[in-house]
Amino acid sequence: MNSSKPLDLSARNAARARQAILTKPPGSLGQLEELACRFAAWQGRAQPEDLRPAITVFAADHGVTVEGVSAFPSAVTTEMVRNFANGGAAICVLARALDARLEVVDVGVAGDVAALPIVHAKVRPGSQNLAKQAAMSAVETEAALEAGRAAARRAVEAGANLLIAGDMGIGNTTASAALICRLTGAAPELVVGRGTGVDDAGLANKHRAVKTALARVAWENLSGLDTLSELGGLEIAAIAGFYLEGARLGVPSLVDGFIASAAALCAKTMEPSLHDWLLASHRSAESGHDLALKALQLPPLVDLGMRLGEGSGAAVCVPLLQLAVKLHNGMATFAEAGISGKSA
């Protein structure tokens, strides 16, 4: 069910051949050239269509917040979901600027958001405390994965050819740090960061929670699904499902920051070929994001010092990708412009 669609390598090669005859020195547009060729492979067209991004923000609460790991109370998850619904969050502004489809999915918010005009796919009202027990049962993790898959299907059915997943969940940088440590073998000291801006005491609490969680499962042979269940969160699992379904349908995902990369690592353990359908947007200011990107083998497009989440870092990169496609399609060839090619 999770197998990724094969890339269209003939379309990619045709796109590279076109790049070679456009009115510019070969390679002079740098990464923009290869980005256009990647979209050719994803779309199966030597000249890819303009990008139609769809942004889905998955929201859920985390039981680990009782360990004092966040600078904000859990109630902020509910309050921010309300802000999304009212159009006041950063990702709402970016979606409007990009004319992008925006959907908000409650996959595990602890508060009451039933009256809001969002997608209601609540698996349970927040995860368990991952420092003490599995964050989710296997059944709950599968349900969250399916919520993400369903969201990807809705986005693609609505016409999207580029997917962006965003996150909202107080405590989710702790869960993401635990996942990245487990899946990369990196020490918590290299991965755990300040998240929403915790003070030194909060940072010590985060280190303690992640170390305790990792020690709890240290001797277990965990599958990707098991790892998500033990150390993850409902919105993280949903993002993993979103990426997996996008790849199955043949639509690439632009990966956001720390939380999104943790989800991508989990998803890649379930389907290694997923890598071909992911593109990293930015390098987060959050500690450990570099380690996650290196494990994913995804170089980021930009580094703007962002650490907001919501899909915001990915959304900011869409105009750059759109320009790569437009340059590829709109430039004249040497023959069309009547310009002499490179001397022999």
Side-chain angles (χ1 to χ4, degrees):
M1 179 176 179
N2 286 337
S3 58
S4 302
K5 184 177 178 179
L7 298 178
D8 190 329
L9 299 183
S10 62
R12 184 189 67 185
N13 292 338
R16 286 175 174 170
R18 174 174 172 78
Q19 281 288 333
I21 59 172
L22 295 179
T23 49
K24 59 178 174 58
S28 59
L29 285 174
Q31 293 181 50
L32 297 178
E33 297 183 12
E34 187 56 29
L35 286 168
C37 295
R38 290 192 71 179
F39 278 101
W42 286 326
Q43 294 186 16
R45 301 168 58 96
Q47 292 181 249
E49 296 177 342
D50 283 353
L51 305 183
R52 300 183 298 276
I55 304 166
T56 303
V57 179
F58 298 95
D61 278 295
H62 292 259
V64 74
T65 55
V66 300
E67 302 292 332
V69 298
S70 176
F72 291 86
S74 290
V76 170
T77 303
T78 301
E79 292 162 358
M80 278 301 299
V81 169
R82 190 174 298 117
N83 192 27
F84 293 140
N86 292 334
I91 196 60
C92 304
V93 176
L94 291 166
R96 289 193 294 269
L98 297 171
D99 194 25
R101 179 183 187 272
L102 175 63
E103 182 175 272
V104 179
V105 180
D106 167 20
V107 72
V109 177
D112 182 8
V113 294
L116 297 179
I118 61 174
V119 175
H120 298 282
K122 196 191 304 286
V123 175
R124 56 169 292 141
S127 61
Q128 303 281 7
N129 180 1
L130 59 87
K132 306 293 185 185
Q133 65 188 101
M136 302 167 287
S137 70
V139 171
E140 289 164 349
T141 305
E142 286 282 15
L145 283 163
E146 178 51 36
R149 292 187 186 104
R153 290 193 292 271
R154 289 192 297 272
V156 173
E157 287 166 5
N161 60 11
L162 179 65
L163 299 177
I164 294 173
D167 65 275
M168 181 60 228
I170 297 300
N172 64 11
T173 58
T174 301
S176 297
L179 289 169
I180 290 168
C181 286
R182 174 73 188 202
L183 293 172
T184 68
E189 289 75 14
L190 298 176
V191 179
V192 177
R194 293 188 183 271
T196 51
V198 291
D199 58 16
D200 289 347
L203 184 61
N205 289 340
K206 285 184 76 171
H207 276 283
R208 189 179 308 112
V210 169
K211 287 178 179 178
T212 302
L214 292 171
R216 184 174 58 75
V217 298
W219 307 111
E220 296 187 35
N221 184 19
L222 303 178
S223 67
L225 179 67
D226 295 335
T227 303
L228 253 179
S229 298
E230 292 287 348
L231 303 174
L234 293 154
E235 85 280 34
I236 298 171
I239 292 171
F242 187 79
Y243 292 151
L244 289 166
E245 187 69 4
R248 189 186 72 81
L249 296 171
V251 177
S253 289
L254 184 58
V255 180
D256 190 39
F258 190 66
I259 288 88
S261 296
L265 276 171
C266 293
K268 191 178 175 183
T269 65
M270 301 178 195
E271 177 51 61
S273 65
L274 172 69
H275 175 271
D276 291 337
W277 292 91
L278 299 179
L279 181 64
S281 59
H282 74 120
R283 177 184 287 108
S284 170
E286 182 69 10
S287 301
H289 190 219
D290 251 345
L291 289 168
L293 290 176
K294 286 173 182 173
L296 288 165
Q297 297 181 296
L298 296 175
L301 295 174
V302 300
D303 184 348
L304 300 174
M306 296 178 69
R307 55 180 178 85
L308 174 61
E310 302 179 8
S312 57
V316 164
C317 290
V318 171
L320 184 68
L321 300 176
Q322 196 77 273
L323 288 172
V325 170
K326 287 187 177 295
L327 284 164
H328 177 80
N329 292 339
M331 284 184 68
T333 66
F334 283 103
E336 289 167 346
I339 295 174
S340 301
K342 188 176 181 181
S343 300

